[in-house]
Amino acid sequence: MKIESITLREIGMRLKSPFETSFGVTQARRILLVEVVAEGVSGWGEVTTGETPSYNPETTDTAWHVISDFIAPALVDTQVQHAADINPRLAGIRGHEMAKAGVENAVWDCEAQFRGLPLSKLVGGTLEEIACGVSLGIRENPQALVNKVELELRGGYRRIKLKIKPGKDLDFVAAVRREFPKIMLSVDANSAYRLQDAAHLRELDQYELLMIEQPLNWDDIHAHAKLQPQLETAICLDECINNARHALSAIELGACRIINIKLGRVGGHSEAKRVHDVCRERKVPVWCGGMLESGIGRAHNIAMSTLPGFTLPGDVSASQRYWDEDIIDPEVEVSPQGTIRVPQTPGLGFALRRDLIDRLTTRKQEWKPVFATGI
Ligand code: OSB
Ligand code: MG
């Protein structure tokens, strides 16, 4: 496939309500979208960076810089056999996985359309329906959280994840568990604790959680390996895992028993498949994490979640939980049983609302072969 053009744009989207984690509050998203045209078809990817470098080191602006100064110029007007060839081509760029993923995933969408396959099939997925959970931001008090959990359970969601941080943890988890003794429940600390907090984290064992996600430093597999044997609850790593080598290290060191796979954090579908394979061979369950994505990122997440190792409900939920208007048509909808039906049409399987995307666009840059610029 010849990469004929790459268009990078930033859109602004306001979340319906603020989302609070241990690292901060998000209300207005600045999302980069990548459009790649190859063999006459247009494929789309989303860059899942935050606005600030608080979840991982990347931001919307670092991704703009890396894509516009390094990735787009290296790829435009070149040939790729498969979307999976993009990842090795970008090996000279260290880190910046989310920037790379936005571009690579757009090429996966192109390839899927070019071959007439749903993206889920092209990445090797087998499921036709995926199970959904929700991630709930930190609330003012335990009762407010219990009310929110009740609402989401009524919507059919199969797993509830609570964001926690020191001072907003045990009481909140206890209140939810007391009200809903049987539900699949987990917590996500986004690196808010330290190894010295092990005794405190052990208090969480009494609530029969499915997992504690990323309790310790964002880049510290070793500390999680010291913590896991001190807990009954499974640790799930999120921030620590940027590629299949990290996943292998974490599993072999006993740093976790579950891994969260995010397409952006690992650099796109090809590396996500490798992380999935490393985990599956070692019987470590995986699930799809979320980054408050627009519909394009959500569609990619749905495709990835159809791989057979995704045995736990992911943080892939309905567009309407986040946005008044999503940029895809139809929007992502979740059944009363808490599932999303996987699209079976070629590519992402959702139409893009181009007019809406244009209206939301705050900046845009396009790369084409030099001969086509009229110079
Ligand atoms: O750690 O999973 C996380 C959102 C932003 C940054 C990090 C995380 C999250 C979420 C939200 O938990 C998941 C979602 O609903 O998109
Ligand atoms: Mg997380």
Side-chain angles (χ1 to χ4, degrees), residues 19 21 23 55 134-135 161 163 188 190 213 238-239 260 262 287 289-293 298 315-317 321-322:
F19 186 77
T21 67
F23 59 76
Y55 162 79
V134 287
S135 172
K161 163 172 136 183
K163 291 289 190 181
D188 185 357
N190 289 109
E213 189 178 338
D238 173 352
E239 282 89 329
N260 160 333
K262 288 180 180 167
W287 55 280
M291 291 295 294
L292 309 174
E293 288 95 340
R298 240 160 255 285
D315 279 346
V316 190
S317 54
R321 291 190 63 251
Y322 305 83

Side-chain angles (χ1 to χ4, degrees), residues 62-190:
T62 67
W64 183 282
H65 161 56
V66 170
I67 293 172
S68 67
D69 290 342
F70 304 106
I71 300 178
L75 296 178
V76 79
D77 203 20
T78 68
Q79 290 280 343
V80 286
Q81 200 75 26
H82 301 293
D85 300 340
I86 298 284
N87 182 287
R89 290 262 295 274
L90 300 177
I93 300 169
R94 303 266 166 97
H96 299 286
E97 290 82 5
M98 291 174 166
K100 292 175 184 171
V103 178
E104 185 192 302
N105 291 351
V107 179
W108 279 92
D109 181 22
C110 287
E111 185 175 346
Q113 293 175 60
F114 181 60
R115 296 203 197 182
L117 288 173
L119 181 60
S120 61
K121 290 284 175 331
L122 183 66
V123 301
T126 49
L127 306 177
E128 293 193 348
E129 203 173 61
I130 63 163
C132 310
V134 287
S135 172
L136 302 183
I138 293 168
R139 293 287 187 291
E140 193 58 39
N141 56 65
Q143 190 55 48
L145 183 59
V146 167
N147 296 345
K148 182 69 177 164
V149 170
E150 186 178 8
L151 200 75
E152 301 292 359
L153 291 171
R154 256 192 266 134
Y157 287 102
R158 296 188 178 186
R159 188 228 59 213
I160 303 287
K161 163 172 136 183
L162 312 175
K163 291 289 190 181
I164 57 167
K165 66 177 181 182
K168 294 253 186 177
D169 47 16
L170 301 178
D171 297 349
F172 289 72
V173 178
V176 171
R177 189 43 108 197
R178 200 178 314 122
E179 199 69 23
F180 308 103
K182 294 266 156 61
I183 61 169
M184 206 189 277
L185 185 64
S186 69
V187 295
D188 185 357
N190 289 109

